[in-house]
Amino acid sequence: MLMLSGLLALAVLASLLWGAGEVGPGRALAVLAGHGDGEARFVVETLRLPRTLIGIAVGLSLGVAGALLQAVSRNPLAEPGLLGVSAGAAFAVAVALWLGASAATLRVAVAQIGALVGCFAVMSVVRLRGLGDDPVRLVLAGAAFSALLASLTSLLLLFDQRTADEIRFWVVGSLAGRRLDDLAAVLPSLGLALVVTALIARPLAALALGERVASGLGHRPGRVRALVVIAVALLVGAATAIAGPIAFVGLVVPFAARALAGPDIRRTLWLCLPLGPLMVLTADVVSRLVVAPSELPLGVLTALVGAPVLVAVVRARRLPTL
């Protein structure tokens, strides 16, 4: 945990020092030391600092949401971006904008409602006989659901130029241009989701032993699942609202956490707290530098990291069980 915290601190520092513009590490470091010219101060304090804080919130949200979704479905491939939860949030935002809403005022709540609908769809699929027990078939069903929602979102953008202008850059997943106001808007729901997560961690660990065992220990599996759906919707909806749909973070982070700490969901959740921000910030810094002075969308970098992990898990002779 200490080593991960140290790596996260280095990622935060790198996010503040490096960018695609002309302000290099030396000028940015001078700003952090209390000096620096006006341009460097603007870049570090107005652009990079909010971007870094939002990256921490997004990574933490998606990492914890992925761990919760995998634990409650007992499926190591369950991931908000793959199973349609993020796509549901994006589609809900597109519908709201198409109906005339303002992105600045309605995006968070609408994205969380869309994520909630996506969560219910995922849980409905998980409970279908024979489908939820097969990780690959579940991912295929989720991919089909995500593709359907993405197609409907694209259709809305084609019919409404204003909607397309509003979310053209948001829909590809990026931290560029986000403000501290965007982060402040989602902090209450993030705090509530983390409190719910802390409360259900122990019942969720008992549920991993089977419903009868969990019931025998005094827990209520149905209520635990409902609280997990609410927590995942709050986390994924908030992350999608401020950064757009970003796939594979919710897959890679719990996968790495379980590799370090074992299958216990309580230890997995603890490790997701530094691992999620570490992955998102590292990918974001690389996205700024790889095609400088332009930038790649963050979602492209997370896909480059996450897709090989997904293939490796699927190609494993025996999928890990939760």
Side-chain angles (χ1 to χ4, degrees):
M1 192 69 177
L2 287 176
M3 184 179 72
L4 291 176
S5 299
L7 291 175
L8 177 58
L10 291 177
V12 170
L13 182 61
S15 180
L16 294 174
L17 294 184
W18 275 278
E22 298 180 354
V23 177
R27 295 172 66 187
L29 196 59
V31 173
L32 296 180
H35 308 289
D37 55 85
E39 181 187 13
R41 296 186 69 85
F42 173 79
V43 169
V44 173
E45 295 175 356
T46 306
L47 300 180
R48 293 181 188 172
L49 179 60
R51 185 170 180 165
T52 302
L53 295 176
I54 290 174
I56 293 173
V58 169
L60 186 150
S61 300
L62 294 179
V64 172
L68 289 175
L69 201 55
Q70 291 174 15
V72 76
S73 65
R74 305 185 70 175
N75 188 323
L77 297 182
E79 198 268 336
L82 292 177
L83 298 186
V85 181
S86 299
F91 178 66
V93 171
V95 170
L97 293 176
W98 181 62
L99 293 175
S102 167
T105 56
L106 288 179
R107 203 166 62 191
V108 175
V110 170
Q112 288 173 335
I113 292 173
L116 186 62
V117 174
C119 280
F120 276 117
V122 170
M123 295 309 299
S124 299
V125 169
V126 167
R127 298 186 72 80
L128 289 177
R129 183 179 296 275
L131 183 55
D133 297 333
D134 188 333
V136 177
R137 290 178 66 193
L138 179 62
V139 169
L140 291 176
F145 183 54
S146 298
L148 173 64
L149 293 177
S151 299
L152 293 175
T153 302
S154 300
L155 198 61
L156 287 177
L157 301 185
L158 288 175
F159 279 118
D160 189 343
Q161 185 60 43
R162 187 188 72 85
T163 304
D165 293 338
E166 287 264 13
I167 64 172
R168 180 180 302 165
F169 298 103
W170 172 82
V171 78
V172 297
S174 174
L175 301 179
R178 272 52 173 181
R179 304 167 301 169
L180 283 178
D181 291 345
D182 299 325
L183 178 61
V186 303
L187 283 181
S189 57
L190 285 183
L192 176 61
L194 293 178
V195 170
V196 172
T197 300
L199 293 176
I200 61 177
R202 186 175 179 183
L204 201 54
L207 194 60
L209 302 175
E211 290 198 14
R212 290 185 179 180
V213 175
S215 299
L217 293 174
H219 303 299
R220 299 179 180 177
R223 188 167 65 180
V224 173
R225 290 194 185 91
L227 290 174
V228 167
V229 168
I230 293 172
V232 170
L234 291 174
L235 291 167
V236 176
T240 306
I242 55 178
I246 299 175
F248 292 110
V249 176
L251 172 72
V252 175
V253 171
F255 181 80
R258 281 195 301 274
L260 293 172
D264 191 311
I265 183 61
R266 291 164 292 189
R267 292 197 295 268
T268 299
L269 288 172
W270 271 113
L271 287 183
C272 285
L273 297 180
L275 278 172
L278 177 61
M279 176 181 176
V280 169
L281 288 181
T282 303
D284 187 49
V285 171
V286 174
S287 73
R288 305 177 202 174
L289 302 178
V290 69
V291 292
S294 300
E295 294 187 15
L296 283 177
L298 174 62
V300 175
L301 266 297
T302 58
L304 289 175
V305 175
V309 175
L310 175 64
V311 173
V313 175
V314 172
R315 285 179 58 86
R317 291 186 177 181
R318 183 173 181 271
L319 285 172
T321 56
L322 298 176

